[in-house]
């Protein structure tokens, strides 16, 4: 097994968040609730990139920033109706999910 870091993002409605992250190419891998009606904890994945989306209070702070490197940031920009900008290290966009978490998405230069 490879070692990895998986960011945890706080969401208020996991189903809404899963739908939003699907626009970025993430697919729901699994969901856990301790009992029916309890807060959800969900894993979404895009290839080898994984995120945990948690409805649990205290798991993550609002307004978290995650940087996602992709092969084609222009496709992401088109999906969300935004324009990519040039930074010295990458072409990138900044998005906010429905809960205000920030995702900076970029295609590295070189």
């Amino acid at each position: 097994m490879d070692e990895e870091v998986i960011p945890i993002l706080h969401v208020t409605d996991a189903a809404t968040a899963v739908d939003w992250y699907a626009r970025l190419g993430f697919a729901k891998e699994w969901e856990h609730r301790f009992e029916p009606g309890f807060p959800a904890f969900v894993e979404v994945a895009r290839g080898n990139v994984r995120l945990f989306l948690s409805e649990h209070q205290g798991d993550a702070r609002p307004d978290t920033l995650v940087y996602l490197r992709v092969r084609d940031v222009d496709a992401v920009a088109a999906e969300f109706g935004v324009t990519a900008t040039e930074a010295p290290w990458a072409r990138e966009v900044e998005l906010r999910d429905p809960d205000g978490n920030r995702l900076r998405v970029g295609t590295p230069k070189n």
Side-chain angles (χ1 to χ4, degrees), residues 4-31:
E4 63 184 329
V5 172
I6 304 174
I8 301 173
L9 301 174
H10 183 265
V11 298
T12 55
D13 182 319
T16 298
V18 166
D19 289 344
W20 190 88
Y21 281 91
R23 293 176 65 196
L24 273 173
F26 284 87
K28 180 177 169 180
E29 296 287 301
W30 53 262
E31 177 177 323

Side-chain angles (χ1 to χ4, degrees), residues 47-107:
N48 291 330
V49 177
R50 302 187 183 295
L51 296 171
F52 289 152
L53 307 175
S54 177
E55 294 178 348
H56 293 265
Q57 294 297 319
D59 272 358
R61 299 177 56 101
D63 199 39
T64 296
L65 172 62
V66 173
Y67 196 96
L68 174 63
R69 286 187 174 153
V70 298
R71 287 185 183 89
D72 186 3
V73 73
D74 291 308
V76 172
E79 171 65 26
F80 287 89
V82 298
T83 303
T85 59
E86 298 292 332
W89 52 88
R91 184 166 170 74
E92 48 185 39
V93 297
E94 187 163 321
L95 306 171
R96 283 192 180 264
D97 75 9
D99 295 287
N101 295 301
R102 298 176 300 142
L103 283 94
R104 199 165 295 146
V105 183
T107 299

